Amino acid sequence: MPDPSTTNRLLSLDVIRGVAVMGILVANLAAFGLPEAAYFAPLAWGGTAPADLFAWFITFVFIEGKMRGLFSFLFGASILIVTDAAERHGDNAAATHYRRMATLFVIGCAHLYLVWLGDILAHYALVGAIAFLFAWLSVRWLIAAALLLLAYATISSALGAVILFDSAAQDSPYAIAIWNSFAIGFGVPPRADMLGQIAAMRGSWIDAIAWRWHHAADPLTVLPVLAPETLSAMLLGMAGYRSGFLCGAWHRARYRRWALFCLGVALPAYAMLGMVTLRHGFAMQWVYLNAMVLAEPLRTLGFIGYAALLMLALRPGGPLTLRLAAVGRTAFSNYLGTSLLMVAIFNGLSLFGALSRAQLYLLVPPAWGLMLLWSKPWCDRFHHGPFEWLWRSAARGRWQPLRRVSA
């Protein structure tokens, strides 16, 4: 489904990417405004009032993991789009790809240590470097490899759950050490540790950098843990592009069947996992089991279902479609711009850890409005978003054309 307003762009990919980057903001708000552990565990920080728990539940069921998966799905498709274009122009596809990934890794590390703890770009660069090795596979083998990776990721997470449940009694120094290591991300860490993060994030920019330098997860260290799921989604994105799923080549009835099946399974199952987590009072072993193990395959169904639903909802030429497509065309800029905006709010205004979980989501409407407001006028005048242009120029080693030339 080409975008008639641009050259060689797929409207469907831009719209889905726009929705994904807007959804990622919702997913990341708790990480922007609350201590690290609060992302999965409301008991750690952010309040447990009914409104806070409702906000957690809605985000868990409809957003958590699925927007990130959708973005990974599209990243895989974009690898093929870029490398195919390189080959058409007589360039070396591998060299083009790895220059892009190397540049993205540098940008991601700068984002991670200088701006925000939750960067995903450096991880995408590393996994994207691996994903290119699968680019020659057929649709069938891409799907098979993706499912094997997803099974491996699920089994690995399940082994972590076994270890966590075994250490719940905390009856030995080893069990206590295991329990405390999981508490950093899924439980309630020592209050002094969370207060230390809050103080650093409310302090100077240098204080925040120093805290991230000592506490941020090294992209290379976490690669073996996170890569299987991310690579699975990227390979499915390659298959989605090659099969025509992401290009609007399927019949509407087929998209409808996929949306109904995937979301009809994933969302009720997610709701059940959320209710079980609530019933167990956010006990850490249940938080981990439900969010990291049982939800693993459901996330894949969720983002595929959302993609199929968005393909059905596309209205080429419609004002909202065009706005969403513009957000997608500038998704890299919107992602990094969102980080800068949220850091300015939570760190610059010393609001980090000051708002409840429910209050955080009051920022969603104005942030979404800003994305929809600036992206289309920018795309009408320029070929690329500002950060897309910098990435493209750095990867190619020369400044790229930015402003559109009027006919």
Side-chain angles (χ1 to χ4, degrees):
M1 190 178 296
D3 182 351
S5 67
T6 59
T7 304
N8 296 327
R9 291 197 69 94
L10 286 170
L11 179 68
S12 50
L13 264 68
D14 285 336
V15 169
I16 297 172
R17 190 180 292 112
V19 171
V21 77
M22 292 170 73
I24 285 172
L25 166 65
V26 181
N28 288 342
L29 266 175
F32 279 124
L34 301 174
E36 187 177 3
Y39 184 88
F40 284 109
L43 298 184
W45 207 276
T48 55
D52 301 315
L53 296 183
F54 179 76
W56 170 85
F57 182 80
I58 293 298
T59 305
F60 178 75
V61 173
F62 293 99
I63 300 293
E64 203 291 306
K66 291 170 281 295
M67 294 298 111
R68 184 179 67 251
L70 193 59
F71 216 65
S72 305
F73 187 59
L74 295 171
F75 195 91
S78 71
I79 290 174
L80 293 184
I81 293 171
V82 170
T83 54
D84 287 351
E87 290 179 347
R88 285 197 305 273
H89 289 90
D91 297 328
N92 185 294
T96 299
H97 175 72
Y98 284 109
R99 282 198 305 268
R100 293 181 77 247
M101 294 303 101
T103 307
L104 183 63
F105 182 75
V106 172
I107 295 172
C109 288
H111 181 231
L112 172 64
Y113 294 110
L114 301 181
V115 181
W116 182 53
L117 182 73
D119 170 76
I120 197 67
L121 301 177
H123 177 66
Y124 274 12
L126 294 173
V127 179
I130 301 170
F132 179 79
L133 303 177
F134 294 80
W136 58 275
L137 292 177
S138 66
V139 170
R140 179 177 299 179
W141 284 105
L142 285 168
I143 294 173
L147 294 179
L148 284 174
L149 286 163
L150 184 62
Y152 173 81
T154 305
I155 292 169
S156 298
S157 299
L159 293 175
V162 171
I163 294 171
L164 182 56
F165 272 86
D166 285 344
S167 67
Q170 301 183 64
D171 51 4
S172 69
Y174 174 77
I176 293 172
I178 291 293
W179 186 264
N180 290 341
S181 67
F182 275 89
I184 296 172
F186 304 97
V188 183
R191 187 172 179 83
D193 292 351
M194 291 187 285
L195 291 175
Q197 183 183 2
I198 290 172
M201 296 302 109
R202 291 183 182 179
S204 67
W205 183 49
I206 300 301
D207 292 334
I209 291 175
W211 191 92
R212 284 190 291 269
W213 183 260
H214 289 96
H215 295 88
D218 178 3
L220 292 172
T221 301
V222 302
L223 183 65
V225 179
L226 301 179
E229 182 185 4
T230 306
L231 182 56
S232 171
M234 288 185 184
L235 297 188
L236 288 174
M238 290 180 175
Y241 176 69
R242 283 234 170 99
S243 68
F245 173 87
L246 285 171
C247 308
W250 289 13
H251 293 295
R252 290 183 63 83
R254 193 177 182 190
Y255 285 116
R256 190 178 298 111
R257 287 195 299 270
W258 276 79
L260 287 173
F261 172 76
C262 291
L263 296 179
V265 173
L267 297 184
Y270 252 100
M272 186 180 300
L273 294 180
M275 294 301 294
V276 171
T277 304
L278 285 165
R279 182 175 183 141
H280 285 276
F282 291 97
M284 183 167 65
Q285 61 270 44
W286 288 96
V287 170
Y288 182 86
L289 176 67
N290 292 326
M292 303 304 294
V293 183
L294 301 179
E296 186 97 51
L298 298 175
R299 282 194 286 271
T300 299
L301 287 176
F303 71 70
I304 292 175
Y306 279 148
L309 187 65
L310 288 168
M311 293 302 301
L312 288 170
L314 275 177
R315 295 294 181 268
L320 180 58
T321 295
L322 294 177
R323 291 276 174 181
L324 288 172
V327 173
R329 288 175 59 195
T330 55
F332 190 52
S333 296
N334 276 304
Y335 175 77
L336 292 175
T338 296
S339 293
L340 294 172
L341 176 62
M342 293 301 149
V343 167
I345 292 172
F346 291 112
N347 299 30
L349 300 179
S350 297
L351 290 177
F352 187 87
L355 303 181
S356 71
R357 185 179 295 268
Q359 289 172 333
L360 293 176
Y361 296 101
L362 297 176
L363 293 170
V364 170
W368 280 3
L370 187 59
M371 289 184 191
L372 292 167
L373 185 65
W374 83 272
S375 299
K376 188 175 185 305
W378 180 278
C379 289
D380 289 342
R381 292 166 176 80
F382 301 99
H383 290 290
H384 315 287
F387 284 111
E388 283 85 355
W389 174 70
L390 287 173
W391 179 20
R392 190 182 183 94
S393 297
R396 297 194 176 192
R398 59 184 183 276
W399 296 115
Q400 297 297 298
L402 179 59
R403 184 178 291 276
R404 293 184 181 279
V405 178
S406 300

